[in-house]
Amino acid sequence: MSDMVVVRKEGLYCVPGQFYIDPWRPVERAVITHGHGDHARVGHGHYLAANPGVGILRSRLGEITVQGLDYGETIEHNGVRISLHPAGHVLGSAQVRLECGGEIWVASGDYKVEGDATCTPFEPVRCHTFITESTFGLPIYRWDPQQQTFDDINAWWRKNAAEGRASLMLCYSFGKAQRILSGLDASIGPIICHGSVEPLNRVYRAAGVPLPETKMVSDVDKADIKRSIIIAPPSAGGSPWVKRFGDFSDAFASGWMLLRGARRRRGVDRGFVLSDHADWPGLMSAIKATEAERVVVTHGSIPTMVRWLCQNGLDAKGFDTEYGDDEAENAAAAGAAAEGVVAAEPDPVAQRWAVGEKADAARAAGTAEARRQVDEAGGEDADA
């Protein structure tokens, strides 16, 4: 059986459809899963995306030729039926369902399975082959319920405000910032947003997402800044821009904050574990819900996830892609190394299709250390 989706130098290519999914080099036709910079790039001739994400794409990429599809709406191109389904990652994020000749593939892009107020929740889509991310594809990654994290953020902000200190929250401008805003208790004080965050807030509001009132720093009285929380991108930390806030406590929100090494590397007062990607149980539950017979693993912990899936009866391989935030990956590598949880070397056997005797080869290729990690940190989720 030939693959419906393959990797080319431009990106993931749908062979019968003759179009690309989240290509990293300019192409004529691109289906875009969401607006993060590693998945949505300038230079394509024609873009196809979920309607809720069209405003994000135009905001980030400028004047582009883009066609929007409602979730679940179907179009056909070169004999391939294409539909987009919620991925639960950020506003407008989508999984791409491809059907041709009785075969169904789903390319998930980035996704999370816990719902939040800022985007349409993840929707499992049944398929024969599922292309999944693996950003947090190690058993150590398990998220607390987001409300618990929101409560912790509000308690940190409330304590700082009571002590006359501003609270600087560093997080990614698109997606993470709006999700945090949706969980803030606006009665504590003013909410200030960096200039890179506020335009995206407007796009979210235009899409009907409720967010609390936010202000630019120039609109807040100096005395009130001491009670405020400031939402800013990671690049703002340590910059001259933050000096205007005087005495402040800073924090960083990311899934990488689960690791002590990543928290130390950031050098902030607090680390809040909040990710817009699925954790290990979320990845496993999403894969199971698709009922896919084959799984293709992309960007993240590819060898570990491929090995685990093969050991649990699925045909699995990895796709080498150019997705992923370099800064985030470096933080992850540094933090994971400090925790001693990184698999030794990429596993070339486990990255191939594991069918028949190859499944045995993939299982044999797993190191004892990798097996120990899975058994001790997440073995009970084999059937999740």
Side-chain angles (χ1 to χ4, degrees):
M1 185 182 302
S2 60
D3 291 351
M4 193 185 305
V5 178
V6 299
V7 180
R8 289 187 171 181
K9 67 180 185 300
E10 297 87 357
L12 300 184
Y13 181 66
C14 177
V15 178
Q18 300 177 32
F19 56 83
Y20 289 83
I21 301 169
D22 292 348
W24 43 82
R25 287 173 179 74
V27 301
E28 178 57 31
R29 305 189 73 86
V31 181
I32 303 300
T33 63
H34 66 285
H36 278 143
D38 57 330
H39 291 257
R41 309 196 186 198
V42 296
H44 307 316
H46 183 274
Y47 295 74
L48 177 69
N51 267 326
V54 168
I56 289 290
L57 291 181
R58 287 189 168 133
S59 172
R60 308 200 89 192
L61 303 181
E63 290 300 318
I64 58 173
T65 301
V66 56
Q67 177 183 354
L69 278 186
D70 290 336
Y71 287 129
E73 181 183 357
T74 300
I75 62 170
E76 187 165 320
H77 183 75
N78 289 342
V80 178
R81 291 172 59 84
I82 307 166
S83 57
L84 304 178
H85 304 264
H89 178 56
V90 292
L91 178 64
S93 60
Q95 304 171 80
V96 184
R97 183 185 184 276
L98 309 169
E99 183 176 356
C100 182
E103 275 289 303
I104 300 172
W105 284 52
V106 170
S108 64
D110 291 337
Y111 64 92
K112 72 174 185 295
V113 297
E114 182 180 27
D116 74 77
T118 63
C119 61
T120 306
F122 176 84
E123 174 188 296
V125 182
R126 293 179 62 184
C127 57
H128 298 103
T129 301
F130 184 55
I131 303 175
T132 179
E133 63 145 314
S134 61
T135 304
F136 292 100
L138 288 172
I140 60 167
Y141 292 113
R142 295 163 187 269
W143 311 143
D144 290 329
Q146 66 176 358
Q147 188 57 54
Q148 181 176 327
T149 304
F150 289 157
D151 291 344
D152 290 343
I153 291 172
N154 283 318
W156 166 74
W157 176 21
R158 190 176 293 108
K159 181 176 183 294
N160 291 334
E163 296 172 355
R165 261 198 317 274
S167 301
L168 174 64
M169 173 61 75
L170 301 173
C171 58
Y172 298 116
S173 299
F174 168 39
K176 186 66 62 60
Q178 292 73 35
R179 188 177 175 197
I180 289 174
L181 285 169
S182 74
L184 292 180
D185 179 358
S187 69
I188 299 172
I191 302 173
I192 298 171
C193 283
H194 187 273
S196 66
V197 176
E198 191 58 33
L200 292 160
N201 293 345
R202 290 195 288 270
V203 175
Y204 268 68
R205 291 187 177 105
V209 177
L211 296 177
E213 180 186 6
T214 56
K215 299 180 178 181
M216 303 295 286
V217 63
S218 57
D219 299 327
V220 179
D221 292 339
K222 193 170 183 178
D224 289 335
I225 287 179
K226 295 180 179 181
R227 298 186 300 109
S228 69
I229 187 168
I230 304 101
I231 308 296
S235 59
S239 70
W241 181 80
V242 301
K243 293 181 179 178
R244 69 188 69 193
F245 301 115
D247 181 26
F248 63 83
S249 175
D250 56 0
F252 193 90
S254 169
W256 305 123
M257 292 298 102
L258 186 68
L259 302 176
R260 291 190 299 271
R263 293 197 297 270
R264 287 195 298 269
R265 181 179 179 274
R266 275 288 165 194
V268 292
D269 297 332
R270 289 289 304 271
F272 293 102
V273 181
L274 186 69
S275 177
D276 293 327
H277 296 262
D279 60 3
W280 176 265
L283 291 167
M284 295 301 110
S285 66
I287 291 169
K288 181 179 181 182
T290 68
E291 300 184 13
E293 301 157 359
R294 300 184 293 177
V295 180
V296 180
V297 183
T298 67
H299 59 301
S301 302
I302 295 176
T304 299
M305 266 192 64
V306 167
R307 185 179 302 116
W308 175 256
L309 293 171
C310 290
Q311 290 172 345
N312 285 274
L314 292 174
D315 294 341
K317 75 170 182 178
F319 271 172
D320 185 16
T321 66
E322 296 186 14
Y323 305 135
D325 182 296
D326 288 339
E327 182 277 329
E329 289 176 350
N330 290 339
E339 299 295 331
V341 297
V342 179
E345 294 292 337
D347 183 348
V349 176
Q351 288 178 335
R352 299 199 302 262
W353 280 116
V355 293
E357 69 279 8
K358 290 182 182 179
D360 295 330
R363 282 190 282 271
T367 64
E369 176 61 19
R371 291 195 189 98
R372 182 191 65 77
Q373 291 172 21
V374 172
D375 290 342
E376 292 185 359
E380 68 276 12
D381 287 330
D383 60 348

